[in-house]
Structure formats: structure tokens, C-alpha cells
Amino acid sequence: MLKTFPKGGIHPPENKITSSKEIKRMKVPTAVSVPIAQHIGIPAEIVVQAKEKVAKGQVIAKSGGFVSSNIHSPVAGTVTKLDLIIDTSGYKKQCIVIRTDPKDPSNFEEIELPLKTDIELEPKEILQKITDCGIVGLGGATFPSQVKLNVREGSKLDYLIINGVECEPYLTADHRLMLEKAEEIVVGIKILMKALNLQKAVIGIENNKKDAIGLFKSVIKKEDGIQVAALQVKYPQGGEKQLVKAILGREVPKNGLPLDVGVIVHNVGTIYAIYEAIQYNKPLTERVVTVTGKKLENPSNFWVKIGTSIKDLVAEVGGLPEGTRKLVNGGPMMGKAIKNTDVPVTKGTSGILMISEEEASRGKAENCIRCGECVFVCPMGLEPHLLMNLSEKGFYEKASGEDIMTCIECGSCSYVCPSSRPLLDYIRFGKNIVKKLETSKN
């Protein structure tokens, strides 16, 4: 019996239509718009000005505090303006707009870096390099990696878990990265094991990626302390708390972190970015993005420079198909719809999904029939129908008392609701209000 988490979960259609598509490199954009808030925490502080020339990989915005991250220029060029631009959140955010220099060879030389297995840096140097290179969690949360790795002395940390689950329908960026960069990812795991003085690591992969499971089992044959865990296909298997429970049987406490039970979890994309940072001093200026949809001419996976317009990505796969109803940043379950394609790719952009009219249509919201389906599928053991009602009626203090902040926003409740109630929409709204209320008290 394959391991999985015990509470809730659903089985939406996988639609992994790009799983066989090798990662291609997007052509260098003529300009990039680089947001300074691409991570959880404090936005970075801009350290360049209009008309200034910048080199590829140069720091253009420095970490603004403990929970923050450096931002680097993905191209060599000239800063044309510092401007407020709508990003994938739908709000205007401060961006650094850089015009690419078409004559600078560094923009067009993409050297294939050979595998480098010797780890020369010491633990403190590894953590500093991760900080300097602006590495954040690439699984969607974009939590600054150096903060997660800043483990207090005396913490009983004994496991590193690598999240290769990618349970979100449609998305295959992590799957392809695992197939194409398995050896590098294993070196990245060893780098973190050295930095954290750990002897044990587990790579968690859902069983619908048998090729990746087989490949990693082959690569780690001679590695001490690294294992592969094949997991049952169940959404949201990739949630940190669900993954820790599935692999180790440990229950992360309510409002707690995996570190509270001796575990640190990192996504495979983050591990690969750490490998490049430590072994080649390469900052995080690009990532793999799945561009997909059932009606696309050529759905694909791409290496994309941060700040590239989503319009360019859409054009690369043949343009918006006729009848497209929604353009989603991320996957269909946890992703968020964006108004248009004039927004930039950020460190957190795992995929761009184009959904047709038929697929996107919601049924008319009806009254709750008290069927309990939302409760049954909630992986956090919450009562989504109650949380929606409290948010809808403005009872935010009570919603806080009912643990609304522990919701991981997986969308399982909305997916199964027979009354088509917008449960997640209201819960997200309620969480935002509760967060603001809690912040104002401090």
C-alpha cells in the first residue's frame, strides 16, 4: 500500500498533457519587468535607478529584512523606468523595467553547465550563498529559503524532505525537471544535508511519475541516507503538512511548521536552484514554467527569465485558443485567474493555464444542503461550509476561533460542493481580513 495522508483529499483529473514535453528555452525578451515583491515577507529595496546599465545577474533590489530576498537582473541592459505594474496578484506592484541589450553576448550565451559533485563550501558559506542568490521556495509559496534554513541551535532536526509530488493538475514543470536534472538535484540535496548536518533525506514523488521514481532510485544507489518514497496519487499530497504525515507519520501541529517535528521540506525546483547557486554562483533569475491547456496548439515547458511577459509565453504556444474563458497563474485548484497577459513571470510562476468556456463555467451557487462533503475532503480537518458562512457574514473573530488560518487553500471543498458554493473564495477573503486584524493587534 502506497503512503498518503489520512485526512480528506480528492482525485481531480490529472491532465498532465505536457509530461512528455522536454523543457525548452524561451527566447530572450526585448524587455523584462521585474517585481520587487516576489516572495513572502518584506519587498526588496531597489538599488538601481532609471537609465542605469545593469549586468546579467546583478543585484537590482536588496533584501528588505529578515523575511525577504534579493532580486537580480535576468538580463544585461538598461533600466528604463521604475514603475507600478499589475502583476499576477492583480494589483499594481513596484517593478524594475529593463530593456535588454541586443549587443551584449551574455544575454544569448546559455552555457550548459556540467555536473559538479564536489561540495567545497562550508555550512555557513552555503547558507550565505543561498541568501546572496535570492533563492525562494519554487513550489508556490516563495518563502525565502535562507529563513527556512535558519535553524535554531537545539532544534531536533533529523529529516530533509524533498517535494517532488506536483499534485496540482496540468502542471509538469517539476516532473520534467526531475527527469532532466536528477543528478544535479541529488547534489543539491547533499548540499543541504551538509549545510544542516543531516544524515537522512527522502524524495517524495507521486506514483503517477514512475519514470522519475525509477530514475532517482537509480541515481541514489550509492548515496547514504537518501531515499525515494513513492506516494499514492491524491490531491493535495504536495502540501507540506500532508507530505510530512504521509512520509514520516509525523503530525505538524496546528499553526506550526514541519520544523516543529524535526523536518525541513523543500521543493525540487528550489533544490535545483540551490545547486546552481552553490556550485556555479548563479542567482535565481529564471525558472521552469508549464504553459498548458486542452485546446493549445503546442503546450510546453519552458525555462523562462523572471520578468518575461506572459504575453510572450502565450505567443510561444500558438496564442490564446478561441473560446478561452480563463487565464490562470498556476494550476486549476490553487492558481488564481489573471485579467490579461500583460503581467510578468515571477519566481512563484509555476504554470500558465488556459481554460475553455466549458471547463471554466461554474454552476449557479445554491443554498448549502448540509451534505458534509466539504468536511469529508478537507485535508486539514476543518468545516469549510462554516468558515464560508462566517466570512460571508463578517464574523471574523469567530472564523479565527474556528481555525480559518490553518486552511491551506487547496480548493478541495469548492471542487466537491454539489451546491457550487464559492467556499474557497470566501475563506480566502476571510483569511485576509483575519490576518489584517491580527497584525493590527501587534
Side-chain angles (χ1 to χ4, degrees):
M1 184 75 177
L2 292 167
K3 292 181 176 181
T4 190
F5 57 96
K7 288 181 191 170
I10 57 174
H11 296 87
E14 293 173 26
N15 291 321
K16 303 282 191 177
I17 54 183
T18 53
S19 60
S20 61
K21 299 290 187 79
E22 289 187 10
I23 306 168
K24 298 186 284 189
R25 186 161 288 284
M26 268 288 291
K27 60 177 179 273
V28 180
T30 56
V32 290
S33 299
V34 185
I36 63 168
Q38 298 185 52
H39 46 264
I40 285 177
I42 303 166
E45 296 173 355
I46 297 171
V47 293
V48 292
Q49 53 193 356
K51 298 183 181 178
E52 183 176 337
K53 288 193 174 181
V54 294
K56 183 179 176 182
Q58 177 182 328
V59 174
I60 53 176
K62 283 193 172 179
S63 171
F66 179 62
V67 183
S68 189
S69 185
N70 288 341
I71 306 286
H72 302 75
S73 179
V75 296
T78 304
V79 177
T80 57
K81 58 181 174 178
L82 310 176
D83 201 3
L84 290 172
I85 290 174
I86 292 175
D87 71 357
T88 49
S89 70
Y91 296 97
K92 284 190 173 183
K93 300 284 180 67
Q94 186 73 59
C95 282
I96 302 167
V97 183
I98 303 168
R99 184 177 64 247
T100 305
D101 183 352
K103 294 179 180 176
D104 191 314
S106 69
N107 283 325
F108 308 100
E109 292 172 355
E110 293 298 342
I111 302 163
E112 192 65 34
L113 301 173
L115 178 68
K116 188 177 177 183
T117 57
D118 292 339
I119 304 165
E120 296 167 1
L121 298 187
E122 293 304 312
K124 283 187 178 177
E125 295 173 313
I126 289 170
L127 296 179
Q128 187 59 53
K129 185 67 71 176
I130 289 170
T131 303
D132 294 343
C133 288
I135 311 299
V136 303
L138 298 182
T142 63
F143 195 77
S145 297
Q146 79 275 6
V147 180
K148 187 182 277 194
L149 297 169
N150 186 30
V151 181
R152 295 186 305 274
E153 275 191 47
S155 295
K156 294 180 180 177
L157 177 66
D158 63 345
Y159 265 98
L160 172 66
I161 289 180
I162 296 85
N163 188 344
V165 173
E166 199 167 43
C167 59
E168 181 81 36
Y170 282 101
L171 303 186
T172 63
D174 287 349
H175 186 188
R176 287 310 313 176
L177 190 64
M178 288 190 287
L179 292 179
E180 296 178 33
K181 300 292 182 182
E183 291 180 302
E184 289 86 348
I185 289 168
V186 169
V187 176
I189 293 168
K190 290 167 71 177
I191 287 169
L192 282 191
M193 290 174 76
K194 179 177 180 179
L196 298 167
N197 191 27
L198 286 175
Q199 309 305 315
K200 294 178 283 191
V202 184
I203 308 164
I205 308 174
E206 274 195 322
N207 204 43
N208 58 357
K209 305 173 185 67
K210 288 186 169 62
D211 47 3
I213 292 169
L215 178 57
F216 272 100
K217 282 184 174 178
S218 171
V219 172
I220 64 168
K221 269 183 183 175
K222 295 178 183 177
E223 302 294 346
D224 291 330
I226 304 177
Q227 299 174 289
V228 176
L231 301 165
Q232 190 183 125
V233 179
K234 186 166 76 163
Y235 179 86
Q237 189 83 254
E240 277 194 341
K241 293 180 180 181
Q242 285 67 39
L243 195 55
V244 171
K245 182 68 175 176
I247 292 176
L248 300 177
R250 300 178 187 178
E251 190 88 42
V252 178
K254 183 178 75 175
N255 300 321
L257 298 168
L259 188 57
D260 297 328
V261 292
V263 184
I264 281 182
V265 182
H266 269 297
N267 168 268
V268 288
T270 313
I271 296 288
Y272 181 70
I274 287 170
Y275 163 81
E276 290 200 311
I278 302 306
Q279 303 298 70
Y280 287 101
N281 196 32
K282 183 177 176 182
L284 182 53
T285 57
E286 61 180 5
R287 64 156 298 147
V288 183
V289 180
T290 302
V291 187
T292 186
K294 288 181 180 176
K295 297 194 173 180
L296 279 186
E297 279 181 33
N298 187 28
S300 304
N301 292 297
F302 297 101
W303 278 109
V304 185
K305 293 191 181 299
I306 305 302
T308 300
S309 172
I310 286 172
K311 183 185 287 183
D312 293 347
L313 277 171
V314 172
E316 198 71 18
V317 294
L320 277 175
E322 194 174 333
T324 297
R325 169 77 178 275
K326 272 187 182 177
L327 189 66
V328 178
N329 174 45
M333 297 301 298
M334 295 186 77
K336 295 179 181 177
I338 50 182
K339 288 184 178 180
N340 58 54
T341 58
D342 290 318
V343 295
V345 167
T346 67
K347 293 178 183 180
T349 307
S350 55
I352 300 298
L353 171 62
M354 284 155 256
I355 304 180
S356 66
E357 183 76 40
E358 313 91 81
E359 219 177 347
S361 60
R362 280 186 178 185
K364 184 185 174 187
E366 306 285 352
N367 291 332
C368 174
I369 59 172
R370 301 292 189 272
C371 66
E373 278 296 307
C374 61
V375 179
F376 180 73
V377 301
C378 178
M380 298 305 296
L382 302 172
E383 296 185 70
H385 65 93
L386 172 62
L387 296 176
M388 174 183 167
N389 287 342
L390 293 173
S391 295
E392 191 176 15
K393 292 178 170 60
F395 298 143
Y396 303 116
E397 293 283 349
K398 192 166 183 188
S400 178
E402 294 292 342
D403 295 331
I404 192 170
M405 295 309 292
T406 66
C407 168
I408 61 172
E409 302 182 24
C410 68
S412 297
C413 53
S414 294
Y415 183 82
V416 299
C417 181
S419 296
S420 302
R421 291 177 68 71
L423 291 148
L424 179 56
D425 297 22
Y426 274 99
I427 292 171
R428 269 183 179 154
F429 178 75
K431 280 182 70 176
N432 284 333
I433 300 294
V434 169
K435 195 182 293 181
K436 286 175 183 174
L437 290 173
E438 289 176 353
T439 303
S440 67
K441 288 177 185 175
N442 298 331

